[in-house]
Amino acid sequence: MRFQSRFAAAGERFGGLVARETERGAGVQTVVAPAGWTQAQLDAWMDWADRLTPDDGDAADDQVLGGPPVRWVNALATNGWKLGLFDTPGDAEAFADEILATLLGGIAAPAAGLAPATPAFEVGSADAETALGVHLAEARRAALAEGALAAAQAKLAAVADAIARCEGDPDACADPARNLALARAARAAREAGVPDALIADAMAGAPALVGADLDVLIPPPGRLALVCPRGAAHAQTAGAVWESGGVIVQFAPASGDPAPTWRVALDINSFGSGEHLDVDGLAATARLWLAAAAIETVDGAAEPTITLAGLGEWLMRQGHPFDGEAARGAACEAFALLGAAATLASAEIAAILGPGERFDLNRAATLAAIGGRAQACDQATPLGLRTALMFTEALAAASRDGLRFAGPVGLFADPELALRLGRAGLGAAPAGAVLAASETADGEIVLGLSAVAFDGVHAIGADADAVGVALTGRRSLDGAPAIDRAALHARGFTDHEIDAAFAALGSARSLAAAFAPAVVGEGFVRDVLGADADAMADPDLDVLALAGFTADEVAAAAAYAFGAPSVGAADLPPVVKALLAAGDEVPFHARLAMQAACEVFADATSEAPIDLDWRTDPAAMRTRLNEAAAAGVGAIWLRREPAPTDFRLDLPDVEEPARRAAPAAVVTERIVETVVQRDPVRRRLPDRRKGYIQKAAVGGHKVYLHTGEYDDGQLGEVFIDMHKEGAAFRSLMNNFAIAVSIGLQYGVPLDEFVDAFVFTRFEPAGPVTGNDSIRSATSILDYLFRELGVSYLDRDDLANADPHEFHADGLGVGESAGEAPVPASRFISKGFSRGTAPDNLVFLPTAARRAEARDASVASAEDICPACGDVSLVRKGGLLVCESCGIAPEQAG
């Protein structure tokens, strides 16, 4: 085989080789690596290099990654020359240079070591039953602490038994809160060291490990395959897939015995796209790495598998939504090209090293498959026509010389290999995150569209800046819906608090964090917004909600400032959402359709997992398997994501009854107590009652509160009148007051009403005028019941003003402590007292004042006005004049 220098400058695409530092073991190592590799890529490549067979010499600081990659490619070239794979020594040197260039250029990467073979078993056979039992047992063992499996087996069996013995509603039987036997069994399993996730699995229907000899179980491989005929329903298969993350379901048996695989991936993004796809470069790279695979697997103990990396990113860059016919057609053509190039290279290698055993065993079927693929290519497109010609050429070469590898193209997953290429996944995997972090010149980390997403948005003609803003936000509330400067000013915020919150938006992760009391000021939250001591002690206090903003308003403003939490939730056109759907946002049916399209030209059975939510139940898993079978995929690997590390079942506290010996009978006197429940009796108010009327305005809306009291001063009724409100609103408030009054008269404590209605939030709300105690309220009801709490319950904590400013009689200290007391007649209803109050009621001042501090013009306490009864006689000239009614006693007499 001859090799030319095609990729010699590929390493320059990452900025050339520079000295890089990486943490290895207990220290920091300096190695030579491409400048453009991320730190995660560098660490992944170093892990791969550490697994290579070291030589006897020391690491070379001036060689790539310390030297192992160079030694590895040189060893490949030497062994290939010994096998006769190269025509001249120059071809061997060119081969080594090209392999290393594709590594450094991010064009291709091999897996670390051989992937073990996946044993396959026919569903329903005895071998499948045994293998599956061992596999599930070992999966349980891995999830439990050392030595806890035997105890856990019995505890999990008890959990399942508690549900099986329950009669009635199945949902209630599986609920620990309603099935106390299940709650006790689950608590016992938790105390035995069983994780709550396994207990939840047992409650959901996982088969208990009963009857297995756990001491003689041999640890099985990490995964196994169950061959299940397409269209058949096997509940056991779905249950095994649900419980274990290592069970692959094949819908058709694989040809030949499974063997370990030597895997390599080619980054399709390195070869362009569309009309600019470098077909020759892709074919040359596939030929190069299949030659490396032939050297690595020359003993026949392993088979190579080659796949594409970054397919999802490649499709997004071209503007093809993953869930679309155009994307599936392009992916199918890409794998067809890879398959044709690999088949040609396999035939070329077979002409030198001889055909492989698998080809000899299935010669006729393999040749027929190659011919069928040539016909399956879409020859209406230039790429499809060229691929069909390559398959035709490969068929002729295979018929003449055979094939070294019968089926080298496949789909598999290897997160470390994908990371070394800087891609989200391999095979038919969708693109990764569409947002990427970047560092500005001044060291600030900003989030924006990734390069792939940016190219894709441009490809469909959308505004990339607008899409980026919708996903990452503006980090400002200027111009935001619902919550902007004007709205904040209306709720009592000043420029000081607003500027502090706006400055925090740059680093905050939520509006609650930007408007936290520590940012806007605890005094503002307490004094202006009315937060009590309990609210201030709450670390999750939502200041915006306290200010009266609704959840929808906060969500709209958060989307404006921080962007949408996902592409699906963003305010974007449907075509943009479809294009940028990546990772978990890609629908399950789209993943199946893409896998089926790529498998048309793949040889090996797919071993690429599709992760599902950890809360997926067995019934949903069975549905997913049926969908996969109907989609036409050759195999499906479904696995649930791990449960969160902090997952805890909500188990009620059920105590086992204490088992005690029956005490001796003791004859004692028995007292029978009869409890008689009396019906509530309404306590009616006197026909002539006292109270007060308070006029105030809440957020500019006038409200009148009229109270009625019993003779002992207890509140018995309230009336609420609104000014210039709609008839419906006024009627609702009036009837609400009647309902409260009836409740008070039937004995409902006033403090129950106060606790129920204070701090309710709805409009109108805001500053309160006309009330000396209440300065702001979150609603009309908040104001009314705070006023009642202050006036009748001494709830000074509900007042915004300082309670020590007022005396207990509510008269206050006046403008000066030395002034005369305010006449009592100002505060007593003359109508209620029928005019008799001036004769039998005297309101003495409560403030202690020394007699020498009194004004000489004020009359003594004995000088009472005979006309009105007030102690307000003052001497003016030679006469005593009443300041209340203006009559002189001498004139009255």
Side-chain angles (χ1 to χ4, degrees):
M1 300 181 68
R2 302 190 63 86
F3 293 93
Q4 298 177 354
S5 179
R6 175 184 289 270
F7 305 107
E12 297 299 325
R13 58 190 293 245
F14 283 104
L17 299 177
V18 297
R20 300 281 300 274
E21 290 186 348
T22 178
E23 294 185 4
R24 308 303 299 170
V28 177
Q29 181 180 351
T30 301
V31 297
V32 174
W37 280 359
T38 64
Q39 191 62 43
Q41 272 185 281
L42 176 59
D43 292 339
W45 276 110
M46 289 299 297
D47 291 339
W48 171 79
D50 289 344
R51 296 188 182 98
L52 298 178
T53 303
D55 63 359
D56 297 333
D58 296 332
D61 294 337
D62 60 341
Q63 290 187 346
V64 178
L65 303 182
V70 175
R71 293 193 294 270
W72 178 68
V73 298
N74 289 336
L76 280 179
T78 301
N79 294 332
W81 172 254
K82 293 178 180 178
L83 291 174
L85 196 60
F86 307 118
D87 294 346
T88 65
D91 292 329
E93 293 178 2
F95 167 81
D97 292 341
E98 291 292 273
I99 287 286
L100 186 60
T102 56
L103 290 178
L104 300 180
I107 298 174
L114 298 178
T118 302
F121 303 92
E122 293 282 347
V123 170
S125 65
D127 292 341
E129 296 286 344
T130 302
L132 189 57
V134 172
H135 180 86
L136 295 180
E138 189 60 29
R140 287 281 181 88
R141 187 199 300 274
L144 294 168
E146 186 68 24
L149 186 59
Q153 173 180 308
K155 299 300 182 183
L156 292 175
V159 170
D161 186 63
I163 299 176
R165 289 177 175 271
C166 178
E167 296 181 357
D169 182 11
D171 292 336
C173 291
D175 185 358
R178 293 185 283 177
N179 185 349
L180 298 185
L182 174 60
R184 284 191 289 269
R187 281 194 171 273
R190 177 188 288 174
E191 293 170 358
V194 181
D196 280 29
L198 279 185
I199 300 174
D201 285 353
M203 291 166 56
L209 299 179
V210 180
D213 188 359
L214 302 176
D215 295 331
V216 298
L217 290 180
I218 301 174
R223 58 186 181 273
L224 60 84
L226 295 178
V227 180
C228 177
R230 196 181 303 275
H234 294 279
Q236 180 188 16
T237 303
V241 173
W242 174 79
E243 185 177 5
S244 169
V247 176
I248 303 173
V249 178
Q250 296 180 5
F251 298 107
S255 59
D257 296 329
T261 54
W262 188 83
R263 294 173 169 177
V264 64
L266 311 184
D267 182 12
I268 190 173
N269 295 271
S270 301
F271 305 102
S273 60
E275 297 179 355
H276 304 289
L277 181 64
D278 185 3
V279 177
D280 294 332
L282 179 59
T285 306
R287 176 175 179 268
L288 179 72
W289 279 93
L290 275 181
I295 300 171
E296 287 284 272
T297 62
V298 67
D299 56 359
E303 286 287 325
T305 302
I306 188 170
T307 194
L308 294 175
L311 183 68
E313 290 89 341
W314 184 68
L315 295 173
M316 182 180 292
R317 179 173 279 116
Q318 298 177 74
H320 297 322
F322 195 84
D323 185 13
E325 290 295 335
R328 288 189 281 270
C332 183
E333 285 189 332
F335 268 93
L337 177 60
L338 177 65
T343 306
L344 266 175
S346 179
E348 184 181 3
I349 296 171
I352 301 172
L353 303 181
E357 294 182 3
R358 292 177 177 270
F359 174 78
D360 289 337
L361 293 175
N362 302 279
R363 183 183 183 91
T366 303
L367 294 177
I370 297 174
R373 289 176 178 176
Q375 297 296 324
C377 294
D378 185 6
Q379 301 185 25
T381 65
L383 180 59
L385 178 59
R386 182 166 182 180
T387 303
L389 294 176
M390 292 174 65
F391 271 121
T392 303
E393 183 182 354
L395 177 61
S399 301
R400 180 181 65 253
D401 302 319
L403 293 176
R404 183 66 178 179
F405 312 116
V409 177
L411 304 177
F412 59 86
D414 189 327
E416 290 187 3
L417 195 161
L419 180 59
R420 289 199 291 276
L421 291 175
R423 298 302 172 188
L426 309 178
V434 297
L435 297 179
S438 58
E439 185 175 358
T440 62
D442 55 357
E444 182 181 359
I445 302 298
V446 296
L447 197 65
L449 282 179
S450 66
V452 172
F454 188 87
D455 292 342
V457 171
H458 269 296
I460 62 175
D463 186 352
D465 292 335
V467 173
V469 167
L471 294 177
T472 62
R474 298 165 177 81
R475 295 289 169 173
S476 172
L477 289 178
D478 288 325
I483 304 178
D484 56 5
R485 284 186 176 270
L488 291 170
H489 278 303
R491 302 301 172 94
F493 288 81
T494 67
D495 288 336
H496 175 74
E497 291 82 26
I498 295 174
D499 291 341
F502 279 30
L505 288 172
S507 57
R509 295 189 176 184
S510 65
L511 285 183
F515 284 85
V519 177
V520 299
E522 295 183 358
F524 168 79
V525 178
R526 181 179 57 253
D527 299 336
V528 178
L529 299 184
D532 56 15
D534 293 337
M536 295 300 297
D538 184 4
D540 298 325
L541 174 63
D542 190 341
V543 174
L544 291 177
L546 185 65
F549 292 106
T550 65
D552 291 340
E553 291 174 337
V554 174
Y560 182 90
F562 299 105
S566 63
V567 173
D571 185 15
L572 294 171
V575 63
V576 177
K577 287 186 178 182
L579 174 66
L580 299 183
D584 295 338
E585 292 191 316
V586 175
F588 181 73
H589 69 84
R591 296 287 302 269
L592 293 178
M594 181 60 71
Q595 179 178 328
C598 295
E599 284 181 346
V600 172
F601 292 95
D603 305 291
T605 302
S606 175
E607 293 188 1
I610 297 179
D611 292 330
L612 304 177
D613 189 273
W614 70 275
R615 291 164 294 192
T616 303
D617 56 23
M621 187 66 75
R622 189 178 304 113
T623 301
R624 291 286 185 258
L625 285 178
N626 292 335
E627 292 175 0
V633 297
I636 189 69
W637 183 1
L638 300 177
R639 63 184 183 187
R640 292 185 298 157
E641 295 176 341
T645 54
D646 58 348
F647 170 69
R648 295 280 290 179
L649 285 168
D650 186 11
L651 301 177
D653 188 9
V654 181
E655 298 291 341
E656 292 285 353
R659 298 182 179 179
R660 302 176 181 175
V666 178
V667 179
T668 59
E669 180 182 1
R670 184 174 63 176
I671 299 175
V672 178
E673 180 180 1
T674 302
V675 178
V676 178
Q677 181 177 357
R678 298 182 179 273
D679 293 331
V681 178
R682 183 176 183 180
R683 181 187 176 195
R684 295 189 176 274
L685 284 160
D687 293 334
R688 193 174 185 85
R689 64 205 67 164
K690 58 182 179 294
Y692 71 92
I693 299 176
Q694 172 71 55
K695 172 188 174 183
V698 179
H701 294 254
K702 292 182 180 179
V703 57
Y704 296 82
L705 173 65
H706 186 176
T707 66
E709 302 171 5
Y710 292 100
D711 291 336
D712 58 0
Q714 296 292 318
L715 181 65
E717 68 179 357
V718 294
F719 296 91
I720 304 170
D721 292 323
M722 299 291 292
H723 182 62
K724 292 184 179 180
E725 303 294 338
F729 186 74
R730 291 203 308 270
S731 299
L732 285 174
M733 295 300 292
N734 290 338
N735 284 276
F736 173 76
I738 294 173
V740 172
S741 301
I742 294 174
L744 292 170
Q745 294 167 25
Y746 271 97
V748 178
L750 175 59
D751 54 357
E752 293 291 335
F753 285 113
V754 172
D755 292 338
F757 294 108
V758 293
F759 303 121
T760 52
R761 292 176 174 82
F762 57 85
E763 296 294 335
V768 176
T769 58
N771 192 302
D772 293 333
S773 298
I774 315 299
R775 303 293 174 80
S776 65
T778 59
S779 66
I780 291 293
L781 294 186
D782 175 49
Y783 159 71
L784 293 173
F785 285 94
R786 288 173 68 184
E787 164 60 25
L788 294 175
V790 171
S791 300
Y792 287 97
L793 301 177
D794 295 329
R795 290 285 300 274
D796 292 332
D797 58 305
L798 298 177
N800 299 121
D802 185 359
H804 300 293
E805 243 176 81
F806 304 98
H807 293 302
D809 57 6
L811 297 180
V813 297
E815 294 181 358
S816 173
E819 293 181 357
V822 180
S825 61
R826 289 185 56 193
F827 302 94
I828 302 299
S829 170
K830 187 174 182 179
F832 177 82
S833 62
R834 296 185 183 275
T836 61
D839 298 331
N840 57 14
L841 180 62
V842 176
F843 220 114
L844 296 179
T846 59
R849 293 179 297 174
R850 294 189 302 271
E852 59 270 23
R854 295 181 178 177
D855 193 294
S857 65
V858 180
S860 65
E862 291 77 13
D863 294 331
I864 300 174
C865 178
C868 65
D870 265 358
V871 187
S872 57
L873 296 179
V874 297
R875 189 171 299 279
K876 295 184 178 181
L879 295 176
L880 288 174
V881 180
C882 178
E883 283 191 339
S884 179
C885 63
I887 299 177
E890 291 82 356
Q891 296 174 353

